[in-house]
Amino acid sequence: MKGALEGIRIIDVSRVLAGPFCSMILGDLGADVIKIEHYKTGDETRGWGPPFLNGESAYYLCANRNKQSISLNLKAEEGKEIFRKLVSTGDVVVQNFKAGTLKKMDLGYESLKEINPSLIMASITGFGSTGPYKDLPGYDYIIQAMSGLMSITGEPDGTPMKVGVAIADVLTGLYTCIGILSSLQHRNKTGEGQEIDISLMDCQVASLINVASNYLSSGIVPERLGNQHPNIVPYQVFSAKDGEMVVAVGNDEQFKRFSAALGRQDLSEMKEFIHNENRLENKSKLIPILEELLAKKTKKEWKGILDKAGIPNGPINTVQDMFDDQQISSREMIVEMDHPSIETLRLTGSPIKLSKSPVKMRHHPPMFGEHTETILEQLGYHPDQIDRFRKNQII
């Protein structure tokens, strides 16, 4: 079966996470992804370790499968010409240089669309191409701070906390992927390419969802609630007999079943707890009662009881616990790939399960410049020219 994006070529000149994560998704879906790396250093994440697997960093490996790698000096005129040739064969360019950098190199969207009028260029920056911050660099950590995310993350009496993964980068990669797929659909209808201006800041702000809406509706500045929910009770971490678990009671009917499962049906009949707004108002009374009840059994015991009652719940797993869970293996969320230098390469699988055009793990995360000669030959360059490029530090 063919991949959904087979026949689409992505020229990926991005580095680190947001751009590479986006292009990996497109590669998983069948697109031909050519990863252009700095001719000397490659993608910075190749050196972000430990851990390393025979010289390859786990960070780099996580976002670069289903790609080919070419090393290229984009500051040299011959390097720019090679890039332009690649663009003429492509459908999408993904780039995350600082705003205006490619334009100064005469490789911006306006220049490249002269070569390829149907080209789609996804430009990822920290703050976008407009506004007073457009020239500032954007790193995930800074975006988590400036977007308000850290101000609502952590315990009420603790310090602001960042999320445990580079969530602004991940969300930006997903939003960029959506923008590219939308642009491809637009091009299918009109024949027109376009530029996608997408920023980490915008993506993180949009991802505040209900918290942002609560503020815009009320003017009340959201505060850190730890593991509690601002609008729903009970919806938080509880300590079972042998460790922590999460219980998420989303509506009044669930609270009735939850109370019955705890052996306290009367809780759901009390005036101060009968509706969610009552429970929210009186959570200081309700939560200690629930804490005492849930501390009497183990996580596994409560899992069985609450699952049977239809109450959303789950243990707080370590990453090891999660990967040991049969649900994860049954969903093929661990994949193994052949690799030239790594005996057993295990990666996180794709969450996209398509019935007609399934995701395929076609190519291992490429070694630095692994496909440089092959790609140049496909562009029509003679082996003697390729040798000269290498001697002149073009590749």
Side-chain angles (χ1 to χ4, degrees):
M1 290 179 281
K2 294 182 177 180
L5 296 182
E6 185 168 337
I8 298 296
R9 170 168 277 191
I10 312 295
I11 311 300
D12 181 11
V13 69
S14 67
R15 304 96 58 214
V16 187
L17 189 55
F21 182 61
C22 168
S23 62
M24 183 183 74
I25 296 170
L26 299 171
D28 286 352
L29 294 171
D32 173 28
V33 180
I34 296 178
K35 180 180 179 68
I36 297 178
E37 302 191 61
H38 187 278
Y39 73 108
K40 285 185 177 179
T41 59
D43 190 318
E44 294 98 306
T45 62
R46 289 184 178 276
W48 287 11
F52 292 96
L53 295 176
N54 203 19
E56 297 290 301
S57 78
Y59 198 118
Y60 166 78
L61 294 170
C62 81
N64 285 287
R65 65 172 175 248
N66 283 335
K67 303 178 187 181
Q68 300 177 76
S69 170
I70 174 174
S71 62
L72 194 59
N73 182 355
L74 287 177
K75 291 186 177 180
E77 287 304 318
E78 286 182 307
K80 293 178 182 180
E81 186 55 36
I82 292 170
F83 180 68
R84 292 186 184 101
K85 273 196 173 185
L86 267 175
V87 169
S88 72
T89 71
D91 298 281
V92 180
V93 171
V94 179
Q95 67 96 3
N96 64 351
F97 290 99
K98 285 178 63 177
T101 298
L102 284 186
K103 185 177 181 180
K104 292 177 183 176
M105 298 166 65
D106 198 27
L107 297 175
Y109 175 67
E110 294 300 322
S111 298
L112 295 180
K113 76 175 183 179
E114 296 296 321
I115 303 167
N116 186 346
S118 63
L119 180 70
I120 295 163
M121 176 179 272
S123 297
I124 303 170
T125 56
F127 297 96
S129 65
T130 58
Y133 298 159
K134 65 182 178 63
D135 296 322
L136 297 179
Y139 287 82
D140 177 275
Y141 203 167
I142 305 303
I143 299 301
Q144 288 198 42
M146 294 182 66
S147 67
L149 178 62
M150 287 180 63
S151 76
I152 60 169
T153 305
E155 292 298 326
D157 56 352
T159 60
M161 297 291 291
K162 71 180 183 67
V163 178
V165 297
I167 192 67
D169 278 334
V170 172
L171 291 168
T172 301
L174 293 172
Y175 273 116
T176 305
C177 194
I178 293 168
I180 289 170
L181 295 176
S182 300
S183 298
L184 287 169
Q185 178 68 355
H186 174 80
R187 192 181 71 174
N188 289 340
K189 294 178 179 179
T190 67
E192 298 175 327
Q194 62 181 305
E195 185 172 17
I196 304 166
D197 173 10
I198 195 159
S199 82
L200 274 69
M201 186 69 160
D202 293 350
C203 292
Q204 187 58 71
V205 169
S207 301
L208 292 181
I209 307 294
N210 60 296
V211 173
S213 185
N214 287 351
Y215 169 73
L216 292 173
S217 298
S218 69
I220 299 172
V221 178
E223 298 178 347
R224 290 187 297 281
L225 297 174
N227 288 311
Q228 298 184 27
H229 194 284
N231 303 110
I232 307 172
V233 173
Y235 201 101
Q236 64 180 76
V237 172
F238 290 98
S239 293
K241 196 173 185 178
D242 60 343
E244 286 77 29
M245 62 182 294
V246 169
V247 177
V249 177
N251 55 56
D252 295 338
E253 179 56 38
Q254 285 185 357
F255 186 68
K256 290 180 184 178
R257 298 200 305 272
F258 180 53
S259 299
L262 294 176
R264 286 292 307 271
Q265 181 71 61
D266 60 302
L267 291 175
S268 64
E269 299 167 356
M270 294 181 181
K271 185 177 180 180
E272 60 262 58
F273 305 145
I274 193 167
H275 297 303
N276 181 68
E277 57 264 37
N278 305 126
R279 295 193 293 276
L280 188 62
E281 183 179 351
N282 296 291
K283 67 179 180 181
S284 62
K285 295 181 181 179
L286 177 61
I287 297 306
I289 298 172
L290 300 180
E291 287 176 333
E292 184 178 351
L293 292 169
L294 288 165
K296 294 180 179 180
K297 297 182 185 296
T298 65
K299 292 182 289 184
K300 185 175 182 180
E301 288 174 322
W302 281 125
K303 181 71 175 162
I305 293 169
L306 297 180
D307 282 353
K308 187 176 180 180
I311 306 302
N313 75 99
I316 297 182
N317 287 331
T318 65
V319 174
Q320 179 179 346
D321 293 335
M322 176 273 291
F323 277 123
D324 287 343
D325 193 313
Q326 291 184 353
Q327 177 67 21
I328 301 305
S329 58
S330 71
R331 294 289 292 173
E332 298 181 339
M333 289 307 297
I334 305 174
V335 296
E336 292 190 2
M337 301 189 72
D338 293 330
H339 190 279
S341 66
I342 300 171
E343 184 175 351
T344 302
L345 175 59
R346 298 201 305 163
L347 298 172
T348 303
S350 172
I352 304 172
K353 315 297 184 186
L354 301 175
S355 63
K356 299 297 183 182
S357 52
V359 164
K360 293 181 180 178
M361 305 301 161
R362 297 168 291 125
H363 305 302
H364 61 267
M367 308 283 279
F368 174 46
E370 181 178 348
H371 305 94
T372 299
E373 291 188 12
T374 300
I375 292 169
L376 290 176
E377 288 173 357
Q378 290 172 354
L379 291 175
Y381 291 102
H382 189 272
D384 290 343
Q385 289 176 291
I386 297 173
D387 287 341
R388 181 174 60 80
F389 288 152
R390 184 166 282 110
K391 289 178 183 177
N392 294 338
Q393 296 189 332
I394 306 301
I395 58 175

